[in-house]
Amino acid sequence: MSKPVTVARDGNVAVITLDNPPVNALSFHLRKPLNEALETLRDDADVAAIVIACAGRTFIAGADITEFGKPMQHPSLPDLIATLETIDKPTVAAIHGTALGGGLELALGCHFRVADRKARLGLPEVKLGLLPGAGGTQRLPRLVGPQKALEMVVSGRPIGAGEAHEAGLVDALADDDLVGEAVALARAEAASGAPMVQVRAREDKLAAARADIGAFDAAVAQATRKARGLEAPLACAQSVRNALTMPFDEALAKEREYFARLVSGDQSKAQRHLFFAEREAAKVPGIGKEVRPRPVARVGVVGAGTMGGGIAMAFANGGLPVTLLERDREALDRGLATIEKNYAASVRRGSLDEDGKAARLGRLSGTTDYAGLADCDLVIEAVFEDMAVKEEVFGRLDAVVKPGAVLATNTSYLDVDAIAATTGRPQDVIGLHFFSPANVMRLLEIVRGARTAPDVVATALSLAKTIGKVPVVVGVCHGFVGNRMLSARSAENEALLLEGATPQQIDKAFTDFGWPMGPFQMGDLAGLDIGWRNRKALGKTAPVADALCELGCFGQKTGKGFYLYADGSRTPQPDPEVTRLIEDKARAAGVERRSICDEEIVERTLYPMINEGARILEEGIAARPSDIDIVWVNGYGFPIGKGGPMFWAEQLRGLDTIVARLAHWHGETGRAVFEPAPLLKRAAASGGGFAGEARKGAA
Ligand code: 3HC
Ligand code: NAI
């Protein structure tokens, strides 16, 4: 192992190089020697200035997240930054890659920052349910102004070096000799003899906001409007605000206090779980680094409807040329026009510029002839959810697409193995299940068939990274992980309606739990006819939703669904006719209506999902409980502050409770979704949790 801290001399400038692979996190074994090196250099009369740089692929990516929740080993990061900040000779951070969280906070403890032009800088702690805890909320506003700091700290989004330079966060940009330029700046500053000004002492950018705190509070309200029950964004905003109203040291102490509270709270634990779960999900048993992905230079998409269009955009956004195939010219033109309209909307919103739009559209082409897909390295089918149609499409792909290409299906429920078996190359077939809108939603369920080749799975994982998706590899079953668990709760939503709840009460219980939307509002938004068609295909019924559809009430698009939407409005209004319809259906089914509390709604909708998750683990459809959490957080909007259904069940609610209440509801209703799954019962009884039981199953 290389030394984490080395010091070299370039004339009278000392260059400290940190080397803590893979991302130079500020672990104890880095903080301690760095603090010692700083103290030595501070007292060394031959050293006129100090540069801090990093080896490897990046500058410091933050505090070491694995140390959170464990006893602090000194020096702490705030102590280390205090040592750095009080050095009375020029100090310069030389930033390449990413300076994030505690890494940027350390850089803010220097007098100057020089950044590589491609570097990115930010304070992403909010994404871990935290706020910057080593002075970031106090020093950043002093360099970039409180409004920009507020935006950066509450969103957690890093900014590029150019923007950082314009904002005053970075003093100089470097082209190829980053450390050389940082040394030159340090030497020039030392030679100038000018007194060094600490970042903490720079107050000029705070003056305007101090004079109009009302304007700043309006910005706070705007920045935190989507906090949805999360504590961290509010603490971030409050701490930046403290920079305006408190002396530096007092505000710093407050920041520390908020950090201590958040880091020991459930939300941050859940979000840290998700950080590691996401990285874990990309590691697939049996797919090691030796399995090389197949090269993919050109992508084909069959079907330019809702999903095909979104999938094509996702690849075009990721820089890959895409050919879209449709049944006829009219459908193709419609699909391409929708894509163009979506990009134009992004330009209007300011999230894309005209050049970006032109570049993306330039990567898209259309065809109605399968020969146009012959050269594709990957073709994704997104046609109607109908086995006969899928079979026909795969037969035609098999006939024309070059050997070795990956053939993927975006099916929501159908058997990927059966689809693969219709081709002469089942080893090349895989499920790539995107979520709507496919160009936005981060989740990609990668469905590994019984005969899918390992390098095809590796190709899918690598492509997911290229297009910015979070991949989770799952096995073949009806609905895979996400939709299978969703099905386990759908019938309960209707049952609750008949038994006495209203759509608005159920939706509110969901949003109070932290979901962005409840199931009825969601159904109205997506169109109730979609579920209706699916139910009819599967021979299933949902008395209330079916009756609405029979009346032509499909949701927002018809102005009526579970709610009323007056004059094209998207705001749902309770509909007395729906209440009457529910009452009629309850009477017809002989169900006596009663008052239903929110806790019952949570238990009866969420516990069956967790139960189904346990069955999914038992069957090996998901490799780990954390993979299921990643599916639900990234594909269905499960609240991040609760860490996903399996984490929530195990860490926050307790598996004993879940088993007991499932058994209760099983007794009450007799429905199979409530019968506690064997793995769930074992996980609760053994205390080993889901992961322990899933591992035993895999061994
Ligand atoms: N602490 C501990 N481990 C970390 C880490 C951190 N801050 N950042 C990354 N890692 C680990 C990852 O878990 C992963 O481990 P693995 O290989 O065993 O799975 C490995 O480093 C590589 O990470 P990625 O796979 O994410 O690598 P990428 O190249 O895709 O991304 C990155 C690099 C952009 C730096 C990304 O890792 C990242 O965003 N890291 C987290 C940054 C962050 O949140 N910093 C704030 C930390 S909190 C803080 O600083 C508190 C302070 O205010 C007091
Ligand atoms: P859609 O109806 O919007 O689009 C399907 C498109 O396929 C239509 O444009 C149609 O013209 C075209 N098509 C049909 N047969 C074809 C053929 N033989 N050759 C070429 N094109 C053909 O449907 P949507 O919603 O995009 O769904 C597509 C697939 O994606 C389905 O398997 C669905 O289950 C799945 N899916 C849908 C999601 C959703 O939210 N809509 C989410 C995830 C998966």
Side-chain angles (χ1 to χ4, degrees):
M1 223 172 113
S2 54
K3 271 177 75 174
V5 175
T6 47
V7 179
R9 290 286 290 273
D10 184 337
N12 61 352
V13 178
V15 178
I16 302 178
T17 303
L18 311 180
D19 191 5
N20 184 25
V23 296
N24 288 313
L26 278 162
S27 328
F28 166 69
H29 74 270
L30 187 62
R31 290 196 306 274
K32 187 167 183 290
L34 175 57
N35 201 54
E36 286 164 2
L38 287 170
E39 284 173 343
T40 305
L41 297 171
R42 176 191 63 197
D43 301 337
D44 184 340
D46 291 340
V47 171
I50 301 168
V51 167
I52 301 179
C54 285
R57 66 195 214 217
T58 179
F59 191 74
I60 303 160
D64 183 338
I65 304 167
T66 61
E67 288 182 358
F68 294 160
K70 299 179 186 158
M72 165 59 68
Q73 288 178 288
H74 289 280
S76 69
L77 184 52
D79 292 347
L80 172 65
I81 294 173
T83 306
L84 171 63
E85 189 172 50
T86 46
I87 294 176
D88 198 18
K89 20 184 134 177
T91 50
V92 181
I95 297 169
H96 75 292
T98 43
L100 298 176
L104 181 57
E105 290 176 299
L106 185 97
L108 288 167
C110 294
H111 298 112
F112 305 99
R113 286 142 296 280
V114 178
D116 179 87
R117 281 186 194 276
K118 291 193 289 297
R120 297 185 67 75
L121 302 90
L123 295 172
E125 285 88 342
V126 72
K127 296 183 180 170
L128 299 168
L130 299 170
L131 83 163
T137 66
Q138 301 310 305
R139 292 190 181 90
L140 186 66
R142 284 169 163 79
L143 288 187
V144 304
Q147 303 264 5
K148 189 163 183 74
L150 177 73
E151 204 280 315
M152 286 177 69
V153 175
V154 173
S155 75
R157 265 191 302 275
I159 58 173
E163 187 179 341
H165 186 225
E166 266 171 42
L169 174 54
V170 160
D171 301 281
L173 296 173
D175 286 308
D176 16 72
D177 183 13
L178 171 67
V179 175
E181 297 200 26
V183 167
L185 175 70
R187 182 169 293 129
E189 287 296 334
S192 79
M196 287 300 109
V197 183
Q198 299 168 344
V199 172
R200 60 179 279 155
R202 292 163 65 169
E203 301 271 297
D204 49 311
K205 288 205 175 169
L206 303 181
R210 278 180 173 153
D212 186 359
I213 200 91
F216 186 77
D217 283 341
V220 166
Q222 174 70 9
T224 54
R225 74 190 189 288
K226 287 193 178 158
R228 236 184 249 139
L230 292 176
E231 294 159 27
L234 306 184
C236 285
Q238 180 60 47
S239 196
V240 175
R241 190 181 189 277
N242 292 347
L244 304 175
T245 59
M246 293 178 186
F248 184 87
D249 286 319
E250 197 181 313
L252 202 62
K254 276 277 169 214
E255 183 197 80
R256 210 57 214 153
E257 185 188 312
Y258 301 160
F259 185 87
R261 174 165 55 80
L262 290 176
V263 81
S264 58
D266 287 343
Q267 291 187 351
S268 176
K269 274 184 211 147
Q271 289 179 255
R272 273 145 42 207
H273 157 74
L274 290 170
F275 176 85
F276 290 112
E278 187 176 316
R279 279 144 188 88
E280 196 67 11
K283 294 170 196 152
V284 180
I287 314 284
K289 286 211 162 38
E290 71 290 353
V291 183
R292 306 302 305 160
R294 299 181 188 179
V296 175
R298 169 166 287 282
V299 176
V301 176
V302 185
T306 309
M307 293 307 290
I311 294 168
M313 286 174 77
F315 282 100
N317 296 348
L320 283 154
V322 183
T323 306
L324 265 165
L325 181 140
E326 257 293 348
R327 294 185 283 182
D328 50 45
R329 197 70 233 177
E330 200 191 327
L332 180 62
D333 288 346
R334 202 170 41 237
L336 290 170
T338 304
I339 293 176
E340 182 152 13
K341 209 172 74 201
N342 289 340
Y343 280 136
S346 302
V347 171
R348 268 200 310 282
R349 278 198 306 272
S351 56
L352 186 69
D353 60 20
E354 283 292 348
D355 288 349
K357 177 184 160 201
R360 285 163 172 77
L361 286 173
R363 290 184 200 116
L364 287 162
S365 58
T367 183
T368 53
D369 180 357
Y370 274 81
L373 301 180
D375 283 339
C376 290
D377 306 292
L378 161 73
V379 181
I380 303 169
E381 162 280 310
V383 301
F384 302 138
E385 185 75 346
D386 177 324
M387 196 62 181
V389 183
K390 306 260 189 215
E391 273 181 18
E392 195 231 311
V393 169
F394 271 83
R396 303 193 61 175
L397 291 175
D398 197 16
V400 300
V401 181
K402 67 180 180 190
V406 175
L407 302 183
T409 172
N410 182 50
T411 180
S412 307
Y413 292 98
L414 298 174
D415 182 345
V416 174
D417 288 331
I419 294 175
T422 66
T423 71
R425 37 174 137 171
Q427 73 284 358
D428 297 338
V429 177
I430 193 163
L432 290 183
H433 186 211
F434 288 81
F435 288 71
S436 182
N439 52 317
V440 177
M441 297 299 286
R442 292 184 74 219
L443 178 65
L444 179 63
E445 261 186 339
I446 298 177
V447 189
R448 181 183 196 170
R451 296 175 65 186
T452 307
D455 65 343
V456 169
V457 179
T459 308
L461 287 165
S462 139
L463 277 171
K465 195 158 185 153
T466 308
I467 61 173
K469 300 290 178 202
V470 179
V472 178
V473 175
V474 303
V476 175
C477 65
H478 186 75
F480 319 119
V481 169
N483 284 341
R484 174 168 162 184
M485 287 170 67
L486 187 67
S487 301
R489 82 160 191 222
S490 314
E492 252 357 80
N493 290 330
E494 280 263 339
L496 284 161
L497 284 184
L498 295 187
E499 288 172 44
T502 59
Q504 45 277 25
Q505 187 197 354
I506 295 176
D507 281 348
K508 180 158 183 313
F510 271 74
T511 49
D512 285 351
F513 186 81
W515 296 90
M517 211 183 261
F520 297 108
Q521 231 183 307
M522 180 59 100
D524 275 3
L525 179 68
L528 300 179
D529 49 325
I530 296 180
W532 191 34
R533 220 181 308 127
N534 282 342
R535 282 194 297 280
K536 281 199 277 197
L538 295 169
K540 290 190 171 174
T541 57
V544 182
D546 289 352
L548 285 171
C549 289
E550 279 152 21
L551 293 167
C553 302
F554 295 153
Q556 280 192 21
K557 59 184 164 191
T558 58
K560 264 166 96 71
F562 281 102
Y563 296 93
L564 268 180
Y565 302 87
D567 305 325
S569 150
R570 286 171 167 269
T571 315
Q573 308 286 346
D575 184 348
E577 281 182 32
V578 172
T579 311
R580 267 196 299 281
L581 176 79
I582 294 169
E583 285 164 358
D584 289 348
K585 290 288 163 196
R587 214 171 299 115
V591 177
E592 194 162 332
R593 287 169 61 76
R594 60 185 167 86
S595 138
I596 289 181
C597 68
D598 289 358
E599 177 58 22
E600 178 174 343
I601 295 172
V602 169
E603 288 189 0
R604 285 180 55 185
T605 53
L606 211 50
Y607 292 12
M609 276 176 40
I610 292 155
N611 206 24
E612 197 62 33
R615 294 198 178 100
I616 281 169
L617 283 176
E618 182 109 80
E619 292 167 26
I621 297 295
R624 333 166 170 91
S626 58
D627 285 3
I628 299 179
D629 291 333
I630 291 299
V631 165
W632 273 85
V633 164
N634 293 289
Y636 299 83
F638 191 96
I640 51 173
K642 293 191 164 66
M646 307 312 267
F647 179 87
W648 180 79
E650 189 169 306
Q651 301 293 327
L652 305 181
R653 186 59 49 128
L655 295 186
D656 285 342
T657 308
I658 308 268
V659 171
R661 296 305 293 166
L662 278 169
H664 167 81
W665 290 115
H666 188 231
E668 290 283 308
T669 66
R671 282 195 281 278
V673 287
F674 292 117
E675 186 178 0
L679 182 138
L680 173 61
K681 286 200 284 192
R682 292 200 307 275
S686 71
F690 287 128
E693 289 304 315
R695 264 196 303 274
K696 275 189 221 160

